[in-house]
Amino acid sequence: MFSDLAKRPVTAFFDQTQGTSDGGAILLEASNRRFGNGFIEGLTACFEDRRQASKVEHTMGELLKQRIYGLACGYEDANDAARLSKDPIHKLLLGRDPAAGLDLASQSTLSRFENAAGPRALYRMGMNMAEAVIARHGKRLGGHARRVTIDLDPTDTDTFGAQQLSFFNTHYDNWCYLPMMGFVSFDDEADQYLCVAMLRPGNVGAAVGAVGVLRRLIDRIRLAFPMARIRVRLDGGFASPAVFDFLDHEPYVEYVVAMASNAVLDRHAEEAMKVARMCSRLTEQTEHVYGETLYAAKSWEHERRVIIKAEVVQHDGKDPRQRPLRGHQHEAEPTVDLRRGLLPARRR
């Protein structure tokens, strides 16, 4: 690399006191400013600052920005503030002079800030996030969308040490949190936009909190897109009577929920599986056949329509793999949109 300098000494120093490795973080602040008056500024308004004004060096907005930008740069713990408080880029993100500006908050200040956020503030922050995302796309689309789709998904987040709400989850075989993430998408656009992030203990069922989240999202979507049809898509963990009952009574909302396997549904799927196996043997290709049945679990008050996708998958050099996929659907009006393992349904 330095062949032309072979006879000269090359010395490199890494003792620059104002160095940083987070130069790309300035894009975070640029993105924040694109949300009108600022996305983080909207979250800041959800807090009530009860500190003595004469003793405050770091505003609530600065503390929130410092924590969010730190997380976005991969610094998960408030302990990282010990070295980030002097980082020139992180100071610049908060509007301070990178060199001469006041240092950012310490770990103890950030920890007090995080622990001071009560249920009301967290609720308001969640609502603000959903409203900001939906309003942004309402403006982008001019309030016109044929269909708005809501997807909810639980996901495990590993925990370490004696963290609050950390429990062992047998499904994920780990100590974890089980936050619920919510996404919205519009018409046939491929992109999904995060609008809900609810932290939950690691041992809760997937459907815990789902009805409240859905109710608030549906209300906000109706305000922003009054003519849109709303579709809710959920995996099998949400197949609970409370979720079904809520969705059944929501007008002009269609939904599709995956169903877990059981002996009754497997018997209903067997006829379709026979047809799929026969077709796959004839074509030597992957084949799938759709069917439907009425089904009611013991905890349900009435039968619901279940769509079955009987599928035989062919791979070169491997034995055929067969699987029936099941989903319960309810739809406000007919469509011809097909999803993997699931079919839209008519209002019953």
Side-chain angles (χ1 to χ4, degrees), residues 1-8 10:
M1 182 175 179
F2 299 107
S3 57
D4 57 330
L5 301 177
K7 297 181 180 180
R8 302 179 183 179
V10 176

Side-chain angles (χ1 to χ4, degrees), residues 296-317:
K298 291 182 179 180
S299 58
W300 297 3
E301 294 182 356
H302 57 84
E303 290 182 325
R304 290 184 169 93
R305 183 174 182 240
V306 176
I307 301 301
I308 297 168
K309 178 184 179 182
E311 183 177 59
V312 177
V313 181
Q314 294 269 13
H315 291 292
D316 292 340

Side-chain angles (χ1 to χ4, degrees), residues 147-207:
R147 181 179 65 246
V148 180
T149 301
I150 302 172
D151 290 279
L152 297 186
D153 185 32
T155 180
D156 65 310
T157 300
D158 296 346
T159 56
F160 306 93
Q163 294 174 256
Q164 288 180 307
L165 305 181
S166 172
F167 291 98
F168 189 82
N169 188 298
T170 55
H171 178 75
Y172 295 102
D173 194 28
N174 202 359
W175 291 84
C176 63
Y177 296 135
L178 194 66
M180 177 168 58
M181 317 302 284
F183 303 84
V184 290
S185 53
F186 304 93
D187 294 328
D188 297 321
E189 294 179 357
D191 291 331
Q192 294 180 314
Y193 303 95
L194 178 68
C195 62
V196 172
M198 176 186 287
L199 181 64
R200 304 180 302 175
N203 62 345
V204 301

Side-chain angles (χ1 to χ4, degrees), residues 266-339:
D266 286 346
R267 286 198 301 270
H268 285 293
E270 184 53 34
E271 203 59 38
M273 285 303 307
K274 289 179 181 178
V275 176
R277 285 192 290 265
M278 180 182 65
C279 293
S280 184
R281 283 195 298 268
L282 292 174
T283 64
E284 297 184 349
Q285 301 290 328
T286 295
E287 298 289 348
H288 51 259
V289 175
Y290 292 99
E292 64 178 270
T293 187
L294 294 177
Y295 169 77
K298 291 182 179 180
S299 58
W300 297 3
E301 294 182 356
H302 57 84
E303 290 182 325
R304 290 184 169 93
R305 183 174 182 240
V306 176
I307 301 301
I308 297 168
K309 178 184 179 182
E311 183 177 59
V312 177
V313 181
Q314 294 269 13
H315 291 292
D316 292 340
K318 296 183 179 180
D319 293 333
R321 182 162 57 92
Q322 58 187 29
R323 56 182 180 182
L325 302 177
R326 294 152 295 274
H328 166 58
Q329 298 77 25
H330 169 97
E331 189 162 289
E333 54 187 83
T335 91
V336 294
D337 186 20
L338 304 184
R339 301 285 174 177

Side-chain angles (χ1 to χ4, degrees), residues 19-38:
T20 182
S21 60
D22 294 324
I26 57 175
L27 297 177
L28 297 172
E29 176 62 11
S31 298
N32 177 56
R33 293 182 180 182
R34 291 191 65 180
F35 270 84
N37 294 325

Side-chain angles (χ1 to χ4, degrees), residues 3 12 16 36 87 93 130 173 214 220 234 243 246 285 288 343:
S3 57
Q16 170 55 253
D87 188 286
L93 292 175
D173 194 28
L214 288 171
R220 295 309 182 275
L234 307 171
V243 173
F246 167 75
Q285 301 290 328
H288 51 259
L343 273 176

Side-chain angles (χ1 to χ4, degrees), residues 218-235:
I218 289 171
D219 288 345
R220 295 309 182 275
I221 290 170
R222 282 175 173 157
L223 289 174
F225 299 91
M227 302 301 294
R229 184 177 58 208
I230 299 175
R231 174 178 293 174
V232 178
R233 297 188 301 197
L234 307 171
D235 66 20

Side-chain angles (χ1 to χ4, degrees), residues 8-19:
R8 302 179 183 179
V10 176
T11 304
F13 293 95
F14 301 93
D15 56 356
Q16 170 55 253
T17 58
Q18 300 298 329

